[in-house]
Amino acid sequence: MALALRKRGPSKFQQAADGSMTLMEHVRDLRNRLFRASLAIVVGFGVGIWLADRVRELLSKPYCDLPQAIDPESGVCKFVQLGVADVFLLNLKIGLWVGLIIAAPVWLYQLWAFIAPGLHKHERRYAYVFTSLAAPLFAAGAVLAFFVTTKGLEFLLNISGPDIATTLEVTRYISFVTNLILLFGVAFEFPLIVLMLNFVGIASAKRLLSWWRVAVFVFFAFSAVVTPTPDPFGMTALAICLCALYFAAVGVAFINDRRRGRGKEIYAGVDDDEVSPLDTTPEPVEAGARVEASDPIDAPEPITAPTPIERRYDDMT
């Protein structure tokens, strides 16, 4: 029995990359990808609602580990709810956050699949590398935020004194912790910006290293603003981590420059249309060695004058 083989045409990725896809096809492709991403977020939101209580307990751990947070009568950690529906709305918000995290592989892929056809091959390769580094760095920042929150709450609640009873409002506390996690996670993405400047050729490794004083000052200033406590421990911990990540990124930039063989650091301060400086200092020139002829040169033979030609004239009659 003969089998009819059907030739497959180019994929949507190839059509978008070579420009053969029309405008309406781009719009339909965007619509389909947005629908898939939204569907994944809705499914993740359902899972997040189921996990909301456990996530809220995890976020409450820095406060509930303190002795001041335990109710002496019931022995449990106590929060205050000012509104009737505050906890319900808080669970919805936590469920949405968890849903976005769970569905991140799906909606990030849909976003990437729509953008990637317009990028060059090396640009897509860089995007893979930066994306694979962004998630661990954000997670490291979130862990450090938990550490700073624990130490910060311990400091802030101890200075109130034994005559003041402190009970935190649940929605404000969760917002405080999540905002701190977001700030620390975004701050840990700064080395990726440094690497991006080097990989695209905007700044060389030597120039990045020359900015280390400004970078250290900015890191300590940023840490002083975002840390919740006035004590120097949390600020110093965040600033030291950011400085270490910065110098690690500069080290990777040196390796990248050596791999590419750029060697253009001496022209870092010269524009593309600017003439490079030339060294016009004259150098002394030594006298050349004398060359003597090994064989005598034969004298030229004398040139004799040509024999005159006599012209006869006939007698004129």
Side-chain angles (χ1 to χ4, degrees):
M1 183 178 60
L3 296 177
L5 298 179
R6 184 178 181 181
K7 184 178 180 180
R8 298 181 60 183
S11 62
K12 291 185 178 180
F13 183 89
Q14 295 175 349
Q15 292 178 356
D18 59 18
S20 60
M21 184 179 291
T22 63
L23 177 60
M24 292 305 301
E25 289 176 343
H26 276 291
V27 173
R28 283 193 292 267
D29 182 56
L30 177 61
R31 180 198 60 187
N32 295 333
R33 297 193 182 280
L34 289 177
F35 175 76
R36 296 167 190 167
S38 302
L39 183 62
I41 292 175
V42 170
V43 175
F45 176 70
V47 179
I49 291 295
W50 180 62
L51 297 174
D53 291 335
R54 301 177 185 178
V55 174
R56 193 177 72 246
E57 292 177 2
L58 178 63
L59 295 177
S60 303
K61 187 173 178 59
Y63 171 68
C64 293
D65 288 342
L66 301 177
Q68 305 91 306
I70 305 300
D71 186 10
E73 298 180 358
S74 61
V76 297
C77 182
K78 288 291 186 178
F79 284 96
V80 173
Q81 178 183 215
L82 299 180
V84 177
D86 284 351
V87 175
F88 174 74
L89 296 177
L90 180 61
N91 286 342
L92 292 180
K93 186 183 296 185
I94 293 175
L96 180 59
W97 293 337
V98 175
L100 289 173
I101 296 174
I102 294 176
V106 178
W107 61 264
L108 283 177
Y109 169 77
Q110 297 298 329
L111 177 64
W112 172 250
F114 184 76
I115 297 176
L119 302 177
H120 296 289
K121 186 176 181 180
H122 66 280
E123 294 173 342
R124 292 195 293 266
R125 183 171 64 252
Y126 292 155
Y128 293 144
V129 175
F130 289 140
T131 304
S132 61
L133 293 176
L137 288 175
F138 190 91
V143 173
L144 182 61
F146 254 75
F147 170 77
V148 173
T149 302
T150 302
K151 297 299 180 181
L153 289 175
E154 184 178 359
F155 175 82
L156 292 175
L157 295 179
N158 285 333
I159 64 175
S160 59
D163 57 334
I164 299 178
T166 303
T167 304
L168 301 183
E169 200 272 324
V170 60
T171 58
R172 296 180 62 182
Y173 169 78
I174 296 298
S175 298
F176 167 77
V177 176
T178 53
N179 290 337
L180 200 64
I181 291 175
L182 181 61
L183 284 174
F184 276 53
V186 172
F188 269 56
E189 305 295 335
F190 182 77
L192 294 181
I193 300 177
V194 176
L195 288 179
M196 187 179 301
L197 293 176
N198 177 259
F199 273 66
V200 300
I202 297 178
S204 63
K206 287 187 177 180
R207 175 173 290 186
L208 292 173
L209 185 60
S210 66
W211 295 341
W212 71 270
R213 294 179 180 85
V214 178
V216 171
F217 174 78
V218 171
F219 291 151
F220 274 89
F222 174 79
S223 302
V225 172
V226 301
T227 47
T229 59
D231 66 283
F233 303 107
M235 178 192 74
T236 305
L238 176 59
I240 290 177
C241 292
L242 292 178
C243 291
L245 291 173
Y246 176 79
F247 287 112
V250 173
V252 176
F254 270 105
I255 296 175
N256 180 56
D257 287 351
R258 180 174 299 180
R259 179 181 62 86
R260 292 188 173 185
R262 285 176 175 171
K264 299 179 181 178
E265 289 80 5
I266 59 175
Y267 306 110
V270 181
D271 296 333
D272 294 338
D273 56 351
E274 183 177 350
V275 179
S276 58
L278 299 177
D279 187 8
T280 58
T281 304
E283 297 181 357
V285 180
E286 299 179 356
R290 184 177 181 181
V291 179
E292 296 181 356
S294 58
D295 296 331
I297 301 176
D298 296 337
E301 296 180 357
I303 301 175
T304 59
T307 304
I309 301 175
E310 296 180 356
R311 184 177 181 181
R312 290 183 178 183
Y313 296 94
D314 297 334
D315 295 335
M316 299 180 62
T317 59

